[in-house]
Structure formats: C-alpha cells, structure tokens
C-alpha cells in the first residue's frame, strides 16, 4: 500500500470483523484500562476498513454499491431493513427452474421462522461456552426429511449441483457444538447418497462470502433469562441472514428474542417477519410438543 499510487479497498464492515484470539483481546483491553464488553473496546476493535470508511476522507471519496443480486427481494428487504442504513435495491437474478415448479410445502414461503417457543423448557439450549439445542436439531432434521421426500425437487437440485459443484442446502449453526450435534443427527439418518451431497452443515463464522439457494439457520441460543450472548452482535446475524438466495429458514425460539431482546438484531428480524407473516413471502411455523398416544 505504501508504494501504490492508488489504493482501492473493497469490503462490508456490517458483516464479520477480523477474528482475534481471546487472549489478545483481553491483553488489549487490559492495556487500555477498559473491559472487552465495553462500547469503547468495540470502537477500538473496528477494522481499518471501517475506520477509513467513516473518516472525513472516506466520506468524501467512498462509493456504496446499493444493488444486490444474490437474494430474492423478500430476503433482501429483511436484510436491508435490519442491517443497512441505505436504500438497498434488489437486482434481477433468475431463479433455478426447479423453484419455478412445485416446491415442498416447508419451502412454500421465501422466509420462514420455525418457532420452538411452545416446547417450553425443551426449547432451551444446553452447554456452557459453546451451546447445542436438541429441539432445533430435531426440527432441522424433520425439515430436511420433508425436502428429501420431494424426489423431483431434489433431482433439480442435483442437476444444478453437477454444474456448480456447490451444495444447494446450507445449514448455518451459530455455535460450534450445535454444528457437531446437527452433523451427528444427519449422519444417523438414512438418506439417499444423492441427497447427502446436497447438504452442508457449518458454523456462521465459516460462512462469510458463501451462499446457497436454501439456508437453514439454527439460532441455538434459548435461555430462561433471555441472555443473548454474542448473538447480540449485528455483524454475525447479518452474515447468517444474508447467505440465502432462494429460501431462508430460521429455527429458534421467538420468545427468546421478544421483550428485553426485541431491539436486538434477532428481535428486529423476528418483528419484521411477524408483521409480514400474512403475506405470501413470510411465515411463522410453531413446533408443538408431540402428543402422547395412549
């Protein structure tokens, strides 16, 4: 950069920031006399790109690309409403042919929130630092089973994957232990060899810059005291919500992101979907407790 006569920086500081080891963050905070949870520390840890973008020089020279071509408008509108302060426009991108035909009922809406709230304590997560959530893992496997039953739809996905080499279904887990759990449950089920290739299961931190036609997001976190943990961070939520091209399915507790958490990014996502669920593009589907057969 020092020898260049012109330097061009391209990025999006509203998505994941550079990753630092926890010990390094603690050392930086200690040297500055602040805590890692403070607003001052968040300012310190901004990327150089973000600093330049918001500087006086940046405001005079920067340019913003405000047309997105990845997502269907229903997904793009949600992402724009919650995470960006610009009028993001939706450019035209043709959908795969198998989406223009009959799709599985579970994918009939562009954006769906599968709500585990009615499961009560069974919806809560388990673990300490990295969390897992059995109720969400079960809901995801049932969703994948319903998709797998539509052989014509799956054949269309397989044909597209043969050309792109990219699995059309992505499962994004907000915690590492949830990825381990969902992978385990997926491996235990009997699937056709073709369907197994259509699905990949990863963490949100590994998903920046990636995209899939169908994205299933496992929020995982569901606490009785509604403590949000790092899911209060908008950058990480932005990445999870903006990876889907054709369908976005969010699996988690709506109750967790209401009340005291309503103003957090996931609370705003929940409110956005709730206000639009009577339209053709948005839907909330509750997961109800299984009935006992006497």
């Amino acid at each position: 950069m020092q020898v260049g006569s012109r330097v061009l920086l391209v990025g999006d500081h509203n998505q994941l920031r550079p990753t630092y080891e926890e010990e390094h963050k603690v050392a930086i905070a200690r040297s500055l006399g602040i805590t890692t949870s403070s607003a001052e520390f968040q300012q310190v840890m901004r990327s150089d790109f973000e600093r330049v973008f918001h500087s006086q020089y940046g405001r005079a020279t920067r340019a913003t690309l405000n047309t997105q071509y990845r997502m269907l408008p229903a997904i793009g509108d949600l992402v724009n409403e919650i995470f960006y302060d610009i009028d993001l426009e939706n450019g035209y991108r043709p959908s795969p042919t198998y989406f223009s035909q009959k799709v599985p009922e579970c994918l009939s809406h562009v954006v769906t929130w599968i709500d585990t709230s009615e499961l009560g304590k069974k919806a809560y997560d388990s673990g300490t630092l990295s969390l897992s959530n059995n109720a969400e893992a079960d809901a995801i496997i049932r969703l994948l089973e319903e998709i797998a039953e539509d052989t014509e739809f799956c054949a269309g996905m397989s044909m597209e994957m043969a050309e792109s080499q990219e699995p059309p279904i992505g499962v994004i887990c907000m915690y590492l232990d949830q990825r381990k759990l969902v992978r385990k449950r997926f491996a235990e089920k009997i699937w056709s060899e073709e369907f197994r290739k259509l699905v990949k299961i990863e963490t949100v931190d590994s998903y920046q810059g990636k995209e899939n036609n169908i994205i299933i997001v496992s929020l995982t976190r569901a606490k009785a005291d509604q403590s949000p943990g790092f899911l209060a961070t908008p950058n990480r939520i932005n990445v999870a919500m903006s990876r889907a091209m054709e369908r976005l399915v969010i699996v988690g507790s709506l109750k967790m992101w209401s009340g005291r958490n309503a103003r957090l990014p996931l609370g705003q996502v929940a409110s956005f979907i709730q206000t639009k669920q009577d339209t053709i593009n948005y839907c909330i589907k509750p997961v109800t407790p299984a009935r006992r057969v006497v």
Side-chain angles (χ1 to χ4, degrees), residues 41-80:
F41 183 75
Q42 297 305 316
Q43 285 290 100
V44 169
M45 300 306 290
R46 291 184 303 165
S47 67
D48 289 338
F49 178 90
E50 184 175 356
R51 294 175 191 277
V52 173
F53 191 84
H54 288 298
S55 69
Q56 183 176 351
Y57 171 79
R59 287 193 293 271
T61 61
R62 71 191 186 192
T64 302
L65 305 178
N66 61 357
T67 303
Q68 68 86 14
Y69 296 92
R70 170 188 291 154
M71 304 165 274
L72 287 182
I75 306 171
D77 290 346
L78 183 153
V79 171
N80 181 47

Side-chain angles (χ1 to χ4, degrees), residues 38-215:
S38 67
E40 294 89 345
F41 183 75
Q42 297 305 316
Q43 285 290 100
V44 169
M45 300 306 290
R46 291 184 303 165
S47 67
D48 289 338
F49 178 90
E50 184 175 356
R51 294 175 191 277
V52 173
F53 191 84
H54 288 298
S55 69
Q56 183 176 351
Y57 171 79
R59 287 193 293 271
T61 61
R62 71 191 186 192
T64 302
L65 305 178
N66 61 357
T67 303
Q68 68 86 14
Y69 296 92
R70 170 188 291 154
M71 304 165 274
L72 287 182
I75 306 171
D77 290 346
L78 183 153
V79 171
N80 181 47
E81 177 74 19
I82 309 303
F83 302 104
Y84 293 93
D85 56 359
I86 60 174
D87 293 326
L88 191 66
E89 298 179 1
N90 299 299
Y92 172 73
R93 178 190 57 80
S95 296
T97 54
Y98 58 88
F99 271 101
S100 61
Q101 301 164 1
K102 184 178 179 296
V103 301
E105 175 61 28
C106 59
L107 300 176
S108 57
H109 296 80
V110 177
V111 179
T112 301
W113 186 304
I114 297 179
D115 178 25
T116 61
S117 298
E118 292 189 19
L119 297 179
K121 292 183 179 179
K122 291 183 179 180
Y124 291 167
D125 61 67
S126 58
T128 52
L129 294 177
S130 186
L131 308 177
S132 61
N133 191 307
N134 283 289
E136 291 186 22
D138 291 341
I140 289 168
I141 294 301
R142 286 196 295 270
L143 178 67
L144 292 174
E145 287 176 331
E146 187 172 343
I147 296 173
E149 289 174 359
D150 193 324
T151 54
E152 186 176 349
F153 185 78
C154 291
M157 288 194 289
S158 295
M159 288 179 62
E160 182 187 51
M161 184 178 170
E163 297 179 5
S164 67
Q165 300 301 307
E166 177 65 25
I169 303 175
V171 179
I172 297 179
C173 301
M174 304 306 281
Y175 289 84
L176 179 61
D177 278 2
Q178 183 69 355
R179 184 191 70 175
K180 294 177 182 177
L181 177 61
V182 175
R183 282 184 174 180
K184 180 176 180 292
R185 297 282 179 85
F186 187 76
E188 291 170 347
K189 289 288 183 176
I190 299 175
W191 313 93
S192 68
E193 194 60 35
E194 291 76 14
F195 188 79
R196 283 186 181 275
K197 296 176 182 178
L198 299 177
V199 181
K200 70 175 181 179
I201 304 165
E202 298 291 349
T203 60
V204 65
D205 296 87
S206 69
Y207 238 94
Q208 181 148 296
K210 300 177 182 177
E211 60 190 22
N212 297 105
N213 281 330
I214 302 168
I215 286 290

